[in-house]
Amino acid sequence: MSHPEAEALFRKACIPFEPEPGWIAEGRKPDFYCRGKHPFWCEVKNLERLEDTRRLGEAFNELSARTGNLELTGQGFAHIHPNFSHRDAKTVVHLLKRALRRLADRDAPDTVVALVPLNPDYREFVRFAISTKMHGTVEFHSCTSPTGTYGSPDGIYAEPYEQRTRLRFSTGAENTFLAGRVVAPSQSFLVAIVAQKHPEKFTLMAAASAGTVKRLRNPERIRNVLNDANDQFKNGLKYKTAPCLLAIFHEGLDVPDDTIIKSALYGDLKFSFPKGNPGGGRLILDKDGAWNPEKNRTTSALLYTRNNAEPLLVHNYWAEHPFPRGLFACREVSAQADGTFHEEDFAGTTTSLRGRWQKLVHILLQLFGR
């Protein structure tokens, strides 16, 4: 199998390489044997986009293309349901045009929301505004909902709940209702774009799923491919002894950040405390990581490339054959004996990060909030 992205990295680093060496007579072959001053084995894995994130990416691209033609200013964030359709894209951008024009009025709201609710009536539209604590005055532009309630993105809800809001329909009808009963943050919708003022041409900044929240299983995916690569390296080492590098290439909206990559390798963060004494507890690394003193020591390091950006290289503290430093122009992370981590940037300035791994509490948010 050809791996042009890995070959490009080797050429950039002036590392000679041999794809799937013919002199390995039996067993699974690592993808490359890299020669030169510091020889090493390399296995390449591509993490494909998960189906739901692939669809989200395609929907975001469609909305970006449609909103890119708007001659209006502002910035927006999209919330997209898995059942989102081309018709919904066309409809929400039509509503967004109306909403963005309101931002230029003297009585402009602080935030506008273009919304297509579940089971919408595409032929009829409604406009209403509510007061909120976090987003100021929010004005909704939506297809009418058969239930009379409207799902709300980004934690937008009526504050106070008892305020009244006037719904103005495209038919000319108007009705006043309790705002807290009209806006239902727990109710889903097909698509919503939340926008605010900005002096430049309108840009859709990012997108998130509006459906049921699912935890991305990137730590498990990384561990699975590393376990598989480790077996291939063992076979390669029967022929030549050298450090072993796993290179992962990952594209899409679901790519993990540095913290998730580290937790996949060294273990998830957990809170341990004596029975009956939570105050005496401490944060510890669980032993479910891909690397520990008894597991996957054949793999010397992981090189992770996300969306064709600069790679991140993480060294295995327990590697049987340590991987040489500085071969690639990228950041490298190494565990230290005292429980701290050292980071070096071989693409620029060398830095030392001495924060204890146990203090990275936001791992929990990363692991369970994505």
Side-chain angles (χ1 to χ4, degrees):
M1 179 184 293
S2 175
H3 294 289
E5 50 292 81
E7 293 179 7
L9 281 178
F10 297 151
R11 291 191 181 99
K12 183 178 179 181
C14 299
I15 297 173
F17 58 89
E18 181 180 356
E20 297 187 343
W23 36 267
I24 295 182
E26 297 180 351
R28 297 173 65 196
K29 302 178 181 180
D31 289 315
F32 297 96
Y33 181 72
C34 297
R35 302 182 180 276
K37 184 178 180 181
H38 301 285
F40 63 92
W41 291 101
C42 181
E43 173 64 19
V44 179
K45 302 291 186 183
N46 291 89
L47 289 187
E48 301 295 333
R49 296 185 184 186
L50 298 173
E51 180 60 24
D52 52 352
T53 60
R54 184 189 64 78
R55 291 197 303 268
L56 177 62
E58 291 175 351
F60 174 69
N61 290 338
E62 179 177 359
L63 289 175
S64 295
R66 289 180 179 274
T67 57
N69 298 322
L70 298 180
E71 295 300 326
L72 296 163
T73 60
Q75 285 185 341
F77 191 100
H79 301 259
I80 306 170
H81 193 277
N83 294 339
F84 170 87
S85 69
H86 297 299
R87 184 178 188 181
D88 299 323
K90 182 178 180 180
T91 301
V92 78
V93 172
H94 174 71
L95 291 165
L96 180 64
K97 290 180 184 178
R98 298 183 180 187
L100 291 176
R101 292 191 186 103
R102 283 282 294 132
L103 293 177
D105 292 343
R106 180 175 296 180
D107 62 340
D110 300 296
T111 305
V112 292
V113 176
L115 178 72
V116 178
L118 291 176
N119 304 313
D121 183 345
Y122 292 101
R123 300 165 299 174
E124 186 177 343
F125 307 100
V126 62
R127 174 167 62 95
F128 60 91
I130 63 171
S131 295
T132 72
K133 182 175 292 186
M134 299 296 294
H135 297 80
T137 301
V138 180
E139 187 171 280
F140 286 76
H141 293 251
S142 176
C143 301
T144 56
S145 169
T147 64
T149 59
Y150 296 83
S152 181
D154 205 22
I156 296 174
Y157 60 94
E159 179 70 27
Y161 181 92
E162 297 80 10
Q163 67 184 272
R164 311 288 289 184
T165 183
R166 180 175 293 275
L167 278 66
R168 297 175 171 85
F169 296 89
S170 55
T171 59
E174 294 187 8
N175 288 299
T176 301
F177 296 97
L178 193 69
R181 292 183 178 177
V182 173
V183 178
S186 61
Q187 181 175 303
S188 193
F189 47 83
L190 293 174
V191 60
I193 298 178
V194 181
Q196 294 179 324
K197 292 181 181 180
H198 191 273
E200 298 180 1
K201 189 176 182 295
F202 180 80
T203 303
L204 194 62
M205 304 299 291
S209 175
T212 303
V213 176
K214 297 180 180 179
R215 182 175 75 86
L216 294 180
R217 305 190 69 81
N218 281 322
E220 292 85 350
R221 298 177 76 194
I222 293 170
R223 291 164 188 165
N224 287 339
V225 298
L226 195 148
N227 289 337
D228 183 62
N230 201 71
D231 291 337
Q232 291 174 260
F233 289 141
K234 287 180 178 179
N235 188 57
L237 290 175
K238 295 176 183 177
Y239 295 84
K240 285 188 182 292
T241 300
C244 300
L245 176 70
L246 169 61
I248 294 180
F249 294 86
H250 192 172
E251 294 187 4
L253 298 175
D254 61 329
V255 296
D257 65 8
D258 292 3
T259 301
I260 294 297
I261 295 172
K262 294 173 186 176
S263 70
L265 300 174
Y266 283 100
D268 298 337
L269 190 67
K270 296 188 177 181
F271 187 74
S272 175
F273 59 91
K275 184 176 181 180
N277 182 24
R282 61 191 180 93
L283 292 169
I284 62 170
L285 285 174
D286 197 13
K287 293 184 178 180
D288 55 359
W291 291 336
N292 62 48
E294 292 82 35
K295 186 177 180 182
N296 291 329
R297 297 183 62 193
T298 303
T299 304
S300 307
L302 168 68
L303 185 75
Y304 210 108
T305 302
R306 294 158 286 188
N307 293 324
N308 296 315
E310 177 191 301
L312 173 71
L313 194 148
V314 184
H315 293 270
N316 184 353
Y317 179 81
W318 299 282
E320 294 174 351
H321 306 287
F323 193 79
R325 285 165 169 71
L327 291 189
F328 299 94
C330 67
R331 292 181 298 120
E332 298 189 11
V333 175
S334 305
Q336 307 296 297
D338 62 356
T340 64
F341 279 77
H342 179 73
E343 180 174 316
E344 295 176 276
D345 187 354
F346 287 96
T349 305
T350 300
T351 59
S352 179
L353 301 183
R354 304 297 293 178
R356 286 191 177 275
W357 183 260
Q358 289 86 343
K359 293 183 179 178
L360 295 177
V361 181
H362 64 279
I363 290 179
L364 296 176
L365 299 177
Q366 297 278 354
L367 291 174
F368 297 103
R370 291 191 174 192

